[in-house]
Structures are given as C-alpha cells and as structure tokens.
Amino acid sequence: MKPAPFAYHRPATIADAVGLLAELAPQDGRVLAGGQSLVPIMAFRLARPAHLIDINAVAGLDGLIAQDGVLRIGARVRHAAFHRPMVDGPLGAMLTSVVRHIAHYPIRLRGTFCGSLAHADPAAEWGVVAATLDAELLALGGHGERRLTARDFFRGVMETALMPDELLAEARLPILPADTRFGFAEFSRRAGDYAMAMALAVLRLEGGAIADPRIGLGGAEAAPRRIAAAETLLRGEAPGEAVFRAASEAAAAAIDPLEDPETDGQYRRELVGAMVYRALRRACPPGAES
Ligand code: FAD
C-alpha cells in the first residue's frame, strides 16, 4: 500500500525543526529520521501523520563526539556509523558488536540511533545499550530542553517520555573505563530479525571480584531495563559458573514477559536466563575470570 497523503517539511536548522514540531505536532506532525520504521508503518497505514518533519538536512544533528567522558550521538547518526569503533576502548567495541544484530546492512545505512530510541520497539538493540549504560537523552521542544535518563525515557511498547512536540536531539553514553568487560547475547529466529530476548552484561573486576555490574535486557518485556536482582547477586562476587547461573535465574524470574501467539511467557523467561548467562560468559569466558 501507499502512505496516506501528508505534507513534507525539510528544515535546515535545529530551531526551525523544533519550531515546526511545536506548530505541527498538534496536527499530527511527526519527525522523519531514517524512515526505517516510520515509512513501513505509513505504507501499511498503521500511521497516517499529516505532516512529516524530515530532520535529514538539519545542521548540528550529525555529531558523534567523544568528549568529557561521554559519547554524544546526534539525531542524524546512522546505525552504520558504529560498524567500526567510533571511540577507543570497550564502549566502541561494544557498539560495534551490537550493531551487527540490527536488521540488515541497507537498513543500518539509513536508520538512526536516536530514531531507534524514539521508536522504542522493545526489541531494539540500542534501547538495551541505552538502558544498560544509563544513557542521558536530550529532548528539545517548544518549551526548552529536557534531559531524561534512559530509565525515565522508556515507558512501554513503543512508548517513551518524549512529548509529541519534542525532538530527541542527542543520546549520551558514558565512555567506559578501559578495564570494563562486556558480553552481548541475542536470540532471534533468523539473522536480522528483531530479538525475542537479548542481554547485555557489563562489569569490571577489582581484586578478583565483580565490580559495577550492569545487566540489561531487551525483547523480553515491554521496555528495555537493567535487572537489579541479577546485578545484586553479581556485585562483589568472584566470577564463575555458580554466580553466573544464579544471576541468570534471577533475571529470568524478575521479568514480566511479553507474550505472543508463538512465544509464551515461560519460554521468554527461559530465553532470558540463557541470554544473561551467555552475555556473562562472553564478558568472562572460562579461563579468563580474573
Ligand atoms: P524513523 O523510522 O524515521 O522514525 C521512527 C519513529 O521515531 C517515528 O515515530 C519518528 O517520528 C520518531 N523519531 C525518529 N527520530 C526521532 C527524533 N530524533 N526525535 C523524535 N522522534 C523521532 N531495529 C532494531 O533495533 N533491530 C532490528 O533487528 C531491526 N530490524 C528491522 C528490520 C526491518 C526489515 C526494518 C524495516 C527495520 C528494522 N529495525 C530494527 C528498525 C530500524 O532500526 C529503524 O532504523 C529504527 O527503529 C528507527 O530509526 P529511524 O531513524 O529509521 O526512525
């Protein structure tokens, strides 16, 4: 099918984009970024925005800047920017390892990091990264600027704390200490499909004990999030089979699983347990636990 008729706007400055959004959001105006989620749902007529505000020509939204301990990712930065490490150390390596799970190459050339967060599909990989690393999200609207934590940002299935007249201008990820270890694991039916469950484990070792553990989940619940119950079990423990199994089981028990006709809640729980275990093992493989 073809999209329903809409008016197309192509602002060149952030001020114009925010102004148009403030004016047109009440008339069902929407931001167009990479178009890799919005255009298909418009083609199916699941969305019929009256106005599209295309941000692809807006100056100042294409920055990918590592500065003052933070990686700032502008609203025009495509998934493909992360095919190679854009920042030294574990954060760059993590983004490079995760991006390959997102859809297929042509989609990664167009789709944007911030668009993925704004769309808030529960199975989006960048959502898990943002939640696990407690990303800060910069929203610009007619009423000014808001800084949101990932925890406050993700509200549910395709639901965020962004107001209809707000532009997600930038996502900010902390640059991780050099000794940070990470592991990412995802289960999907076919390569490039959305995940049925995924886990990101991030930790350091201090004197042989786990420090600063972060366990983030996606695809399993309505929104990505950190799982405190699993992190508590890991903190201060020596890495190894028993504690990794216990943390995986705690994560599986902690979720409120999404269910669909093909995947019941119990199956998703089991997937979560398996993904958390794999992610932890990738962070600390046997024989590399110290
Ligand atoms: P758009 O499609 O342009 O916009 C999506 C929504 O977000 C719209 O409502 C739009 O108004 C809003 N929006 C976008 N940017 C902003 C902004 N800066 N501020 C405010 N609102 C904004 N994604 C995955 O994560 N994993 C996958 O495995 C995956 N598989 C896919 C497979 C296929 C076949 C397709 C077509 C897509 C897939 N995607 C997947 C989605 C893809 O990653 C999209 O690029 C992403 O979800 C949206 O980014 P976008 O820039 O294309 O946003």
Side-chain angles (χ1 to χ4, degrees):
M1 275 168 74
K2 289 181 181 161
F6 58 87
Y8 176 78
H9 308 265
R10 195 170 168 87
T13 66
I14 294 176
D16 285 351
V18 170
L20 277 169
L21 202 49
E23 180 193 336
L24 299 174
Q27 301 167 47
D28 203 8
R30 300 266 284 267
V31 171
L32 174 70
Q36 299 304 297
S37 294
L38 183 55
V39 171
I41 59 177
M42 286 174 63
F44 283 117
R45 302 215 173 181
L46 296 169
R48 297 169 177 238
H51 297 269
L52 283 190
I53 298 149
D54 182 348
I55 59 169
N56 285 281
V58 174
L61 293 180
D62 55 351
L64 185 52
I65 303 161
Q67 199 176 40
D68 300 330
V70 171
L71 181 65
R72 297 168 51 191
I73 304 168
R76 285 174 49 198
V77 173
R78 318 269 174 205
H79 306 317
F82 302 98
H83 282 161
R84 281 180 287 162
M86 293 306 293
V87 57
D88 289 339
L91 178 63
M94 176 194 295
L95 298 173
T96 303
S97 124
V98 171
V99 72
R100 297 188 185 284
H101 294 268
I102 300 176
H104 307 282
Y105 190 75
I107 293 164
R108 298 201 292 265
L109 290 178
R110 292 295 307 166
T112 63
F113 188 101
C114 289
S116 172
L117 301 187
H119 188 59
D121 190 301
E125 284 79 2
W126 292 142
V128 179
V129 169
T132 309
L133 299 185
D134 293 321
E136 183 181 77
L137 305 165
L138 178 69
L140 300 180
H143 302 291
E145 170 184 318
R146 287 199 301 151
R147 289 165 193 239
L148 301 158
T149 61
R151 190 187 176 123
D152 293 335
F153 183 82
F154 295 111
R155 292 263 169 93
V157 176
M158 293 178 185
E159 196 188 334
T160 72
L162 268 186
M163 306 297 284
D165 65 350
E166 281 182 321
L167 173 72
L168 176 56
E170 192 170 282
R172 297 173 178 174
L173 301 178
I175 294 179
L176 301 169
D179 61 349
T180 304
R181 297 163 173 239
F182 72 89
F184 179 72
E186 165 169 331
F187 187 87
S188 55
R189 285 197 202 280
R190 294 172 306 188
D193 278 5
Y194 276 105
M196 294 163 68
M198 61 186 143
L200 177 60
V202 183
L203 55 88
R204 293 186 308 107
L205 296 181
E206 265 180 16
I210 296 170
D212 305 329
R214 293 168 180 265
I215 300 292
L217 290 183
E221 298 185 289
R225 68 172 174 121
R226 289 175 66 178
I227 305 294
E231 295 173 356
T232 303
L233 285 172
L234 293 163
R235 193 171 292 111
E237 297 295 323
E241 191 65 18
V243 73
F244 288 171
R245 290 274 176 216
S248 310
E249 285 164 21
I255 65 163
D256 179 10
L258 288 172
E259 297 197 58
D260 56 57
E262 290 178 341
T263 320
D264 67 20
Q266 183 53 29
Y267 181 51
R268 264 220 166 73
R269 255 185 226 292
E270 288 174 23
L271 279 179
V272 161
M275 293 307 106
V276 171
Y277 177 78
R278 278 185 206 172
L280 283 165
R281 268 300 175 208
R282 284 173 188 165
C284 290
E289 293 167 343
S290 58

